[in-house]
Coordinates of all heavy atoms in Angstrom, one line a residue:
M1 N 5.9 12.2 12.0 CA 4.9 11.4 11.3 C 4.1 10.6 12.3 O 4.7 9.9 13.1 CB 5.6 10.5 10.3 CG 4.7 9.8 9.4 SD 5.5 8.9 8.0 CE 5.9 10.2 6.9
T2 N 2.8 10.5 12.3 CA 2.0 9.8 13.2 C 2.1 8.3 13.0 O 2.4 7.8 11.9 CB 0.5 10.3 13.1 OG1 0.0 9.8 11.9 CG2 0.4 11.8 13.3
D3 N 1.7 7.5 14.0 CA 1.7 6.1 13.9 C 0.7 5.6 12.9 O 1.0 4.7 12.1 CB 1.4 5.4 15.3 CG 2.5 5.6 16.2 OD1 3.7 5.8 15.8 OD2 2.3 5.4 17.5
D4 N -0.4 6.3 12.8 CA -1.4 6.0 11.7 C -0.9 6.2 10.3 O -1.0 5.4 9.4 CB -2.7 6.8 11.9 CG -3.5 6.3 13.1 OD1 -3.3 5.2 13.6 OD2 -4.4 7.1 13.5
R5 N -0.2 7.3 10.1 CA 0.4 7.6 8.8 C 1.5 6.6 8.5 O 1.6 6.2 7.3 CB 1.0 9.0 8.9 CG 1.7 9.5 7.6 CD 0.7 9.9 6.6 NE 1.4 10.6 5.5 CZ 1.3 10.2 4.2 NH1 0.4 9.4 3.8 NH2 2.0 10.8 3.3
L6 N 2.3 6.2 9.5 CA 3.3 5.2 9.3 C 2.7 3.8 8.9 O 3.2 3.1 8.0 CB 4.2 5.0 10.5 CG 5.2 6.2 10.7 CD1 5.8 6.1 12.1 CD2 6.2 6.3 9.6
A7 N 1.6 3.5 9.6 CA 0.9 2.2 9.3 C 0.4 2.2 7.8 O 0.5 1.2 7.1 CB -0.2 2.0 10.3
T8 N -0.2 3.4 7.4 CA -0.7 3.5 6.1 C 0.5 3.4 5.1 O 0.3 2.8 4.0 CB -1.4 4.9 5.9 OG1 -2.5 4.9 6.9 CG2 -2.0 5.1 4.5
L9 N 1.6 4.1 5.4 CA 2.7 4.0 4.5 C 3.2 2.6 4.3 O 3.4 2.1 3.2 CB 3.9 4.9 5.1 CG 5.3 4.6 4.4 CD1 5.3 5.0 3.0 CD2 6.4 5.4 5.2
Q10 N 3.3 1.8 5.4 CA 3.7 0.4 5.4 C 2.8 -0.4 4.5 O 3.2 -1.1 3.6 CB 3.8 -0.2 6.7 CG 4.2 -1.6 6.7 CD 4.5 -2.1 8.1 OE1 5.5 -1.7 8.7 NE2 3.6 -3.0 8.6
H11 N 1.5 -0.2 4.7 CA 0.5 -0.9 3.9 C 0.6 -0.6 2.4 O 0.7 -1.4 1.5 CB -0.9 -0.6 4.4 CG -2.0 -1.2 3.5 ND1 -2.5 -0.5 2.5 CD2 -2.6 -2.4 3.6 CE1 -3.4 -1.3 1.9 NE2 -3.5 -2.5 2.5
D12 N 0.6 0.7 2.1 CA 0.7 1.2 0.7 C 2.0 0.8 0.1 O 2.0 0.4 -1.1 CB 0.5 2.7 0.6 CG -0.9 3.1 1.0 OD1 -1.8 2.2 1.2 OD2 -1.2 4.3 1.2
L13 N 3.1 0.8 0.8 CA 4.4 0.4 0.2 C 4.4 -1.1 -0.1 O 4.9 -1.5 -1.2 CB 5.5 0.8 1.2 CG 7.0 0.5 0.8 CD1 7.3 1.2 -0.5 CD2 7.9 1.0 1.9
I14 N 3.9 -1.9 0.8 CA 3.8 -3.3 0.5 C 3.0 -3.6 -0.7 O 3.3 -4.3 -1.6 CB 3.3 -4.1 1.8 CG1 4.4 -4.1 2.9 CG2 2.9 -5.5 1.4 CD1 4.0 -4.7 4.2
T15 N 1.8 -2.9 -0.8 CA 0.9 -3.1 -1.9 C 1.6 -2.7 -3.2 O 1.6 -3.4 -4.2 CB -0.3 -2.2 -1.7 OG1 -1.0 -2.6 -0.5 CG2 -1.3 -2.3 -2.9
M16 N 2.4 -1.6 -3.2 CA 3.1 -1.2 -4.4 C 4.1 -2.2 -4.8 O 4.2 -2.6 -6.0 CB 3.7 0.2 -4.2 CG 4.4 0.8 -5.5 SD 6.0 0.2 -5.9 CE 7.1 0.9 -4.7
I17 N 4.9 -2.7 -3.8 CA 5.9 -3.7 -4.1 C 5.4 -4.9 -4.7 O 5.8 -5.5 -5.7 CB 6.8 -3.9 -2.9 CG1 7.6 -2.6 -2.5 CG2 7.7 -5.1 -3.1 CD1 8.3 -2.7 -1.2
V18 N 4.3 -5.4 -4.1 CA 3.7 -6.7 -4.5 C 3.1 -6.5 -5.9 O 3.2 -7.4 -6.8 CB 2.6 -7.2 -3.5 CG1 1.8 -8.3 -4.1 CG2 3.3 -7.6 -2.2
E19 N 2.4 -5.4 -6.1 CA 1.7 -5.2 -7.4 C 2.7 -4.8 -8.5 O 2.5 -5.2 -9.7 CB 0.6 -4.2 -7.3 CG -0.5 -4.7 -6.5 CD -1.6 -3.6 -6.3 OE1 -1.5 -2.4 -6.7 OE2 -2.6 -3.9 -5.6
E20 N 3.7 -4.0 -8.3 CA 4.5 -3.5 -9.3 C 5.9 -4.0 -9.4 O 6.6 -3.8 -10.4 CB 4.6 -1.9 -9.2 CG 3.2 -1.3 -9.3 CD 3.3 0.2 -9.1 OE1 4.4 0.8 -9.4 OE2 2.3 0.8 -8.7
I21 N 6.4 -4.7 -8.4 CA 7.8 -5.2 -8.4 C 7.9 -6.7 -8.3 O 8.6 -7.3 -9.1 CB 8.6 -4.5 -7.3 CG1 8.7 -3.0 -7.7 CG2 10.0 -5.1 -7.2 CD1 9.3 -2.1 -6.7
T22 N 7.2 -7.3 -7.3 CA 7.3 -8.7 -7.2 C 6.2 -9.5 -7.9 O 6.2 -10.7 -7.9 CB 7.3 -9.2 -5.7 OG1 6.0 -8.9 -5.1 CG2 8.4 -8.5 -4.9
Y23 N 5.2 -8.7 -8.4 CA 4.1 -9.3 -9.2 C 3.4 -10.4 -8.5 O 3.4 -11.5 -9.1 CB 4.6 -9.7 -10.6 CG 5.2 -8.5 -11.4 CD1 6.6 -8.4 -11.6 CD2 4.4 -7.5 -11.8 CE1 7.1 -7.3 -12.2 CE2 4.9 -6.4 -12.5 CZ 6.3 -6.3 -12.7 OH 6.8 -5.2 -13.3
G24 N 3.0 -10.1 -7.3 CA 2.1 -11.1 -6.6 C 2.8 -11.9 -5.6 O 2.2 -12.6 -4.8
V25 N 4.1 -11.8 -5.5 CA 4.9 -12.5 -4.4 C 4.6 -11.7 -3.1 O 4.9 -10.5 -3.1 CB 6.4 -12.7 -4.7 CG1 7.1 -13.3 -3.5 CG2 6.6 -13.5 -6.0
D26 N 4.1 -12.4 -2.1 CA 3.8 -11.7 -0.9 C 5.1 -11.2 -0.2 O 6.1 -11.8 -0.2 CB 3.1 -12.7 0.1 CG 1.7 -12.9 -0.2 OD1 1.1 -12.1 -0.9 OD2 1.1 -14.0 0.1
V27 N 4.9 -10.0 0.4 CA 6.0 -9.3 1.1 C 5.5 -9.0 2.5 O 4.4 -8.4 2.6 CB 6.4 -8.1 0.4 CG1 7.4 -7.2 1.2 CG2 7.0 -8.5 -1.0
E28 N 6.3 -9.2 3.5 CA 5.9 -8.8 4.9 C 6.9 -7.7 5.3 O 7.9 -7.5 4.6 CB 6.1 -10.0 5.9 CG 5.2 -11.2 5.6 CD 3.7 -10.9 5.8 OE1 3.5 -10.1 6.7 OE2 2.9 -11.4 5.1
P29 N 6.6 -7.0 6.4 CA 7.4 -5.9 6.8 C 8.9 -6.3 7.0 O 9.8 -5.5 6.8 CB 6.8 -5.4 8.1 CG 5.3 -5.7 7.9 CD 5.3 -7.0 7.2
D30 N 9.1 -7.5 7.4 CA 10.5 -8.0 7.7 C 11.1 -8.9 6.6 O 12.2 -9.4 6.8 CB 10.5 -8.7 9.0 CG 9.7 -9.9 9.1 OD1 8.8 -10.1 8.2 OD2 9.8 -10.7 10.0
T31 N 10.4 -9.0 5.4 CA 11.0 -9.7 4.3 C 12.2 -9.1 3.8 O 12.2 -7.9 3.5 CB 9.9 -9.8 3.2 OG1 8.8 -10.5 3.6 CG2 10.5 -10.6 2.0
D32 N 13.3 -9.8 3.7 CA 14.5 -9.3 3.2 C 14.4 -9.2 1.7 O 14.5 -10.2 1.0 CB 15.8 -10.1 3.6 CG 17.1 -9.5 3.2 OD1 17.2 -8.9 2.1 OD2 18.0 -9.7 4.0
L33 N 14.2 -8.0 1.2 CA 13.9 -7.8 -0.2 C 15.1 -8.0 -1.2 O 15.0 -8.4 -2.3 CB 13.3 -6.5 -0.5 CG 11.9 -6.2 0.3 CD1 11.6 -4.7 0.1 CD2 10.8 -7.1 -0.3
L34 N 16.2 -7.7 -0.6 CA 17.5 -7.7 -1.4 C 18.1 -9.1 -1.5 O 18.5 -9.6 -2.5 CB 18.4 -6.6 -1.0 CG 17.8 -5.2 -1.1 CD1 18.7 -4.2 -0.4 CD2 17.5 -4.8 -2.5
L35 N 18.3 -9.6 -0.3 CA 19.0 -10.9 -0.3 C 18.2 -12.1 -0.8 O 18.7 -13.1 -1.3 CB 19.5 -11.2 1.2 CG 20.5 -10.3 1.7 CD1 20.9 -10.7 3.1 CD2 21.8 -10.3 0.8
T36 N 16.9 -11.9 -0.8 CA 16.0 -12.9 -1.5 C 15.9 -12.6 -3.0 O 15.3 -13.4 -3.7 CB 14.6 -12.8 -0.9 OG1 14.0 -11.5 -1.1 CG2 14.6 -13.2 0.6
E37 N 16.5 -11.5 -3.4 CA 16.4 -11.1 -4.8 C 15.0 -10.8 -5.3 O 14.8 -10.9 -6.5 CB 17.2 -12.1 -5.7 CG 18.6 -12.3 -5.3 CD 19.4 -13.2 -6.3 OE1 18.8 -13.9 -7.1 OE2 20.6 -13.3 -6.1
L38 N 14.1 -10.5 -4.4 CA 12.8 -10.0 -4.8 C 12.9 -8.6 -5.5 O 12.1 -8.2 -6.3 CB 11.8 -10.0 -3.7 CG 11.4 -11.4 -3.1 CD1 10.6 -11.2 -1.8 CD2 10.5 -12.1 -4.2
V39 N 13.9 -7.9 -5.0 CA 14.1 -6.5 -5.5 C 15.5 -6.4 -6.0 O 16.5 -6.8 -5.3 CB 13.8 -5.5 -4.3 CG1 14.2 -4.1 -4.7 CG2 12.3 -5.6 -3.9
D40 N 15.7 -5.8 -7.2 CA 17.0 -5.5 -7.7 C 17.3 -4.1 -7.6 O 16.5 -3.3 -7.1 CB 17.2 -6.1 -9.1 CG 16.2 -5.4 -10.1 OD1 15.6 -4.4 -9.8 OD2 16.1 -5.9 -11.2
S41 N 18.4 -3.6 -8.1 CA 18.9 -2.2 -7.9 C 17.9 -1.3 -8.7 O 17.6 -0.2 -8.2 CB 20.3 -2.0 -8.4 OG 20.4 -2.4 -9.8
I42 N 17.4 -1.7 -9.8 CA 16.4 -0.8 -10.5 C 15.1 -0.7 -9.7 O 14.5 0.4 -9.6 CB 16.1 -1.4 -11.9 CG1 17.4 -1.5 -12.8 CG2 15.0 -0.6 -12.6 CD1 18.1 -0.1 -13.0
S43 N 14.7 -1.8 -9.1 CA 13.5 -1.8 -8.3 C 13.7 -0.8 -7.0 O 12.8 -0.2 -6.6 CB 13.1 -3.2 -7.8 OG 12.8 -4.0 -9.0
V44 N 14.9 -0.8 -6.5 CA 15.2 0.1 -5.4 C 14.9 1.5 -5.8 O 14.4 2.3 -5.1 CB 16.6 -0.1 -4.8 CG1 16.9 1.0 -3.8 CG2 16.7 -1.5 -4.1
I45 N 15.4 1.8 -7.0 CA 15.2 3.2 -7.5 C 13.7 3.5 -7.7 O 13.2 4.6 -7.3 CB 15.9 3.4 -8.9 CG1 17.4 3.3 -8.6 CG2 15.5 4.7 -9.5 CD1 18.2 3.2 -9.9
R46 N 13.0 2.5 -8.1 CA 11.5 2.7 -8.2 C 10.9 2.9 -6.9 O 10.0 3.7 -6.7 CB 10.9 1.5 -8.9 CG 11.3 1.4 -10.4 CD 10.7 0.2 -11.1 NE 9.3 0.1 -11.0 CZ 8.6 -1.0 -11.3 NH1 9.2 -2.1 -11.5 NH2 7.2 -0.9 -11.2
I47 N 11.3 2.2 -5.9 CA 10.8 2.3 -4.5 C 11.1 3.7 -3.9 O 10.3 4.3 -3.4 CB 11.3 1.2 -3.6 CG1 10.7 -0.2 -4.0 CG2 11.0 1.5 -2.1 CD1 11.4 -1.4 -3.4
V48 N 12.4 4.1 -4.1 CA 12.8 5.4 -3.6 C 12.0 6.5 -4.3 O 11.5 7.4 -3.6 CB 14.3 5.6 -3.8 CG1 14.7 7.1 -3.6 CG2 15.1 4.7 -3.0
T49 N 11.8 6.4 -5.6 CA 11.0 7.4 -6.3 C 9.6 7.4 -5.8 O 9.0 8.5 -5.6 CB 11.0 7.1 -7.8 OG1 12.4 7.2 -8.3 CG2 10.2 8.2 -8.6
W50 N 9.0 6.2 -5.6 CA 7.6 6.1 -5.1 C 7.5 6.8 -3.7 O 6.6 7.5 -3.4 CB 7.2 4.7 -5.0 CG 5.8 4.5 -4.5 CD1 4.7 4.4 -5.3 CD2 5.4 4.3 -3.2 NE1 3.6 4.2 -4.5 CE2 4.0 4.2 -3.2 CE3 6.0 4.3 -1.9 CZ2 3.2 4.0 -2.0 CZ3 5.3 4.1 -0.8 CH2 3.9 3.9 -0.8
M51 N 8.5 6.5 -2.8 CA 8.5 7.1 -1.5 C 8.6 8.6 -1.5 O 7.9 9.3 -0.7 CB 9.6 6.4 -0.6 CG 9.3 5.0 -0.2 SD 10.6 4.3 0.9 CE 10.5 5.4 2.3
E52 N 9.5 9.1 -2.4 CA 9.6 10.5 -2.5 C 8.3 11.2 -2.9 O 7.9 12.2 -2.3 CB 10.7 10.9 -3.5 CG 12.1 10.6 -3.0 CD 13.2 10.9 -4.1 OE1 12.9 10.7 -5.3 OE2 14.3 11.3 -3.7
E53 N 7.6 10.6 -3.9 CA 6.3 11.2 -4.3 C 5.3 11.0 -3.2 O 4.5 11.9 -2.9 CB 5.9 10.5 -5.6 CG 6.8 10.9 -6.8 CD 6.5 10.1 -8.0 OE1 5.5 9.3 -8.1 OE2 7.3 10.3 -9.0
Y54 N 5.2 9.8 -2.6 CA 4.2 9.5 -1.6 C 4.3 10.4 -0.4 O 3.3 10.9 0.2 CB 4.3 8.1 -1.2 CG 3.2 7.6 -0.3 CD1 2.1 7.0 -0.8 CD2 3.4 7.6 1.1 CE1 1.1 6.5 0.1 CE2 2.4 7.2 2.0 CZ 1.3 6.6 1.4 OH 0.3 6.1 2.3
L55 N 5.6 10.6 0.1 CA 5.9 11.4 1.3 C 6.2 12.9 1.0 O 6.3 13.7 1.9 CB 7.0 10.8 2.0 CG 6.8 9.4 2.5 CD1 8.1 8.8 3.0 CD2 5.7 9.3 3.6
D56 N 6.3 13.2 -0.3 CA 6.6 14.6 -0.7 C 7.9 15.0 0.0 O 8.0 16.0 0.6 CB 5.5 15.6 -0.4 CG 5.7 16.9 -1.1 OD1 6.4 16.9 -2.2 OD2 5.2 17.9 -0.5
I57 N 8.9 14.2 -0.2 CA 10.3 14.4 0.3 C 11.3 14.1 -0.8 O 11.0 13.5 -1.8 CB 10.6 13.6 1.6 CG1 10.6 12.1 1.2 CG2 9.7 13.9 2.7 CD1 11.1 11.2 2.3
E58 N 12.5 14.5 -0.5 CA 13.6 14.1 -1.4 C 14.5 13.2 -0.5 O 15.0 13.6 0.6 CB 14.4 15.3 -1.8 CG 15.5 15.0 -2.9 CD 16.1 16.2 -3.5 OE1 15.4 17.2 -3.8 OE2 17.3 16.2 -3.7
I59 N 14.9 12.1 -1.1 CA 15.7 11.1 -0.4 C 17.1 11.3 -0.9 O 17.4 11.1 -2.1 CB 15.2 9.7 -0.5 CG1 13.8 9.5 0.1 CG2 16.2 8.7 0.0 CD1 13.2 8.2 -0.1
D60 N 18.0 11.6 0.0 CA 19.4 11.7 -0.4 C 20.0 10.4 -0.8 O 19.8 9.4 -0.1 CB 20.2 12.2 0.8 CG 21.7 12.6 0.5 OD1 22.3 12.0 -0.4 OD2 22.1 13.6 1.2
P61 N 20.6 10.3 -2.0 CA 21.2 9.0 -2.4 C 22.1 8.4 -1.4 O 22.2 7.1 -1.4 CB 22.0 9.4 -3.7 CG 21.3 10.7 -4.2 CD 20.8 11.4 -3.0
V62 N 22.7 9.2 -0.6 CA 23.6 8.6 0.5 C 22.8 7.8 1.5 O 23.3 6.8 2.1 CB 24.3 9.8 1.2 CG1 25.1 9.3 2.4 CG2 25.3 10.5 0.3
D63 N 21.5 8.0 1.6 CA 20.7 7.3 2.5 C 20.2 6.0 1.9 O 19.6 5.2 2.6 CB 19.4 8.1 2.9 CG 19.8 9.3 3.8 OD1 20.9 9.3 4.4 OD2 19.0 10.3 3.9
V64 N 20.3 5.7 0.6 CA 19.9 4.5 0.0 C 20.9 3.4 0.2 O 21.7 3.1 -0.7 CB 19.5 4.8 -1.5 CG1 19.0 3.5 -2.1 CG2 18.6 5.9 -1.7
V65 N 20.8 2.8 1.4 CA 21.8 1.8 1.8 C 20.9 0.6 2.4 O 19.8 0.8 2.8 CB 22.8 2.3 2.8 CG1 23.7 3.3 2.2 CG2 22.1 2.9 4.1
L66 N 21.6 -0.5 2.6 CA 20.9 -1.7 3.2 C 20.2 -1.4 4.5 O 19.1 -1.8 4.7 CB 21.9 -2.9 3.4 CG 22.3 -3.6 2.2 CD1 23.3 -4.7 2.5 CD2 21.1 -4.3 1.5
D67 N 20.8 -0.6 5.4 CA 20.2 -0.3 6.7 C 18.9 0.4 6.6 O 18.1 0.3 7.5 CB 21.2 0.5 7.5 CG 22.4 -0.2 8.0 OD1 22.3 -1.5 8.0 OD2 23.4 0.4 8.4
N68 N 18.7 1.1 5.5 CA 17.4 1.8 5.3 C 16.4 1.2 4.3 O 15.2 1.4 4.4 CB 17.7 3.2 4.8 CG 18.4 4.1 5.8 OD1 18.3 3.9 7.0 ND2 19.2 5.0 5.3
F69 N 16.9 0.3 3.4 CA 16.0 -0.2 2.3 C 16.1 -1.7 2.1 O 15.6 -2.2 1.1 CB 16.4 0.6 1.0 CG 15.9 2.0 1.0 CD1 16.7 3.0 1.5 CD2 14.7 2.3 0.5 CE1 16.2 4.3 1.6 CE2 14.2 3.6 0.6 CZ 15.0 4.6 1.1
Q70 N 16.5 -2.4 3.1 CA 16.5 -3.9 2.9 C 15.2 -4.5 3.2 O 14.9 -5.5 2.5 CB 17.6 -4.5 3.9 CG 17.9 -5.9 3.6 CD 19.1 -6.4 4.3 OE1 19.8 -5.6 5.1 NE2 19.5 -7.6 4.1
T71 N 14.4 -4.0 4.0 CA 13.0 -4.5 4.3 C 12.0 -3.3 4.3 O 12.4 -2.1 4.4 CB 12.9 -5.1 5.7 OG1 13.1 -4.2 6.7 CG2 14.0 -6.2 5.8
V72 N 10.8 -3.6 4.2 CA 9.8 -2.5 4.2 C 9.8 -1.9 5.6 O 9.7 -0.7 5.8 CB 8.4 -3.1 3.9 CG1 7.3 -2.1 4.3 CG2 8.3 -3.5 2.4
G73 N 10.0 -2.7 6.7 CA 10.1 -2.2 8.0 C 11.2 -1.1 8.1 O 11.0 -0.1 8.8
Q74 N 12.3 -1.4 7.5 CA 13.5 -0.4 7.6 C 13.1 0.8 6.8 O 13.5 1.9 7.2 CB 14.7 -1.1 7.0 CG 15.3 -2.1 8.0 CD 16.4 -2.9 7.3 OE1 16.3 -3.4 6.2 NE2 17.5 -3.0 8.0
M75 N 12.4 0.7 5.7 CA 12.0 1.8 4.9 C 11.0 2.7 5.7 O 11.1 4.0 5.7 CB 11.3 1.4 3.6 CG 12.2 0.7 2.7 SD 11.3 0.1 1.2 CE 12.3 -1.3 0.7
V76 N 10.1 2.1 6.5 CA 9.2 2.9 7.3 C 9.9 3.5 8.4 O 9.6 4.7 8.8 CB 8.0 2.0 7.8 CG1 7.1 2.7 8.8 CG2 7.2 1.5 6.6
A77 N 10.9 2.8 9.0 CA 11.7 3.4 10.1 C 12.5 4.6 9.5 O 12.6 5.6 10.2 CB 12.6 2.4 10.7
Y78 N 13.0 4.5 8.3 CA 13.7 5.6 7.7 C 12.7 6.8 7.6 O 13.1 7.9 7.9 CB 14.3 5.2 6.3 CG 14.8 6.3 5.6 CD1 16.0 6.9 5.9 CD2 14.1 6.9 4.5 CE1 16.6 7.9 5.1 CE2 14.6 8.0 3.8 CZ 15.8 8.5 4.1 OH 16.3 9.5 3.4
A79 N 11.5 6.5 7.1 CA 10.5 7.6 6.9 C 10.2 8.3 8.2 O 10.0 9.5 8.3 CB 9.3 7.1 6.3
R80 N 10.1 7.5 9.3 CA 9.9 8.0 10.7 C 11.0 9.0 11.1 O 10.7 10.0 11.7 CB 9.8 6.9 11.7 CG 9.5 7.4 13.1 CD 9.5 6.3 14.1 NE 8.4 5.4 13.9 CZ 8.5 4.1 13.8 NH1 9.7 3.5 13.9 NH2 7.5 3.3 13.6
R81 N 12.2 8.6 10.8 CA 13.3 9.5 11.2 C 13.4 10.8 10.4 O 14.0 11.7 10.8 CB 14.7 8.7 11.0 CG 14.8 7.6 12.0 CD 16.2 7.0 12.0 NE 16.7 6.6 10.6 CZ 16.5 5.4 10.1 NH1 15.8 4.4 10.9 NH2 16.9 5.0 8.9
R82 N 12.8 10.8 9.2 CA 12.8 12.0 8.3 C 11.9 13.0 8.9 O 11.3 13.7 8.9 CB 12.3 11.6 6.9 CG 13.2 10.7 6.1 CD 14.4 11.4 5.7 NE 14.0 12.7 5.1 CZ 14.4 13.2 4.0 NH1 15.3 12.6 3.3 NH2 14.0 14.3 3.5

């Protein structure tokens, strides 16, 4: 995945989270979404589903862990490794 595509993913992912999950609460790439309770377990499922559709991939449930989904930056890094 190119750097431009990763930057677009990060932007679009933040936009989706702010508009559909945190309802206007700003999110940065390094915002801890889980420990701040901005995102709950149901929201993680929504994010995973969104990423699968956006990237046209299937995310293994085993990969849905804090190391990959605690921040937007970690989600983008996970996408890069895919």
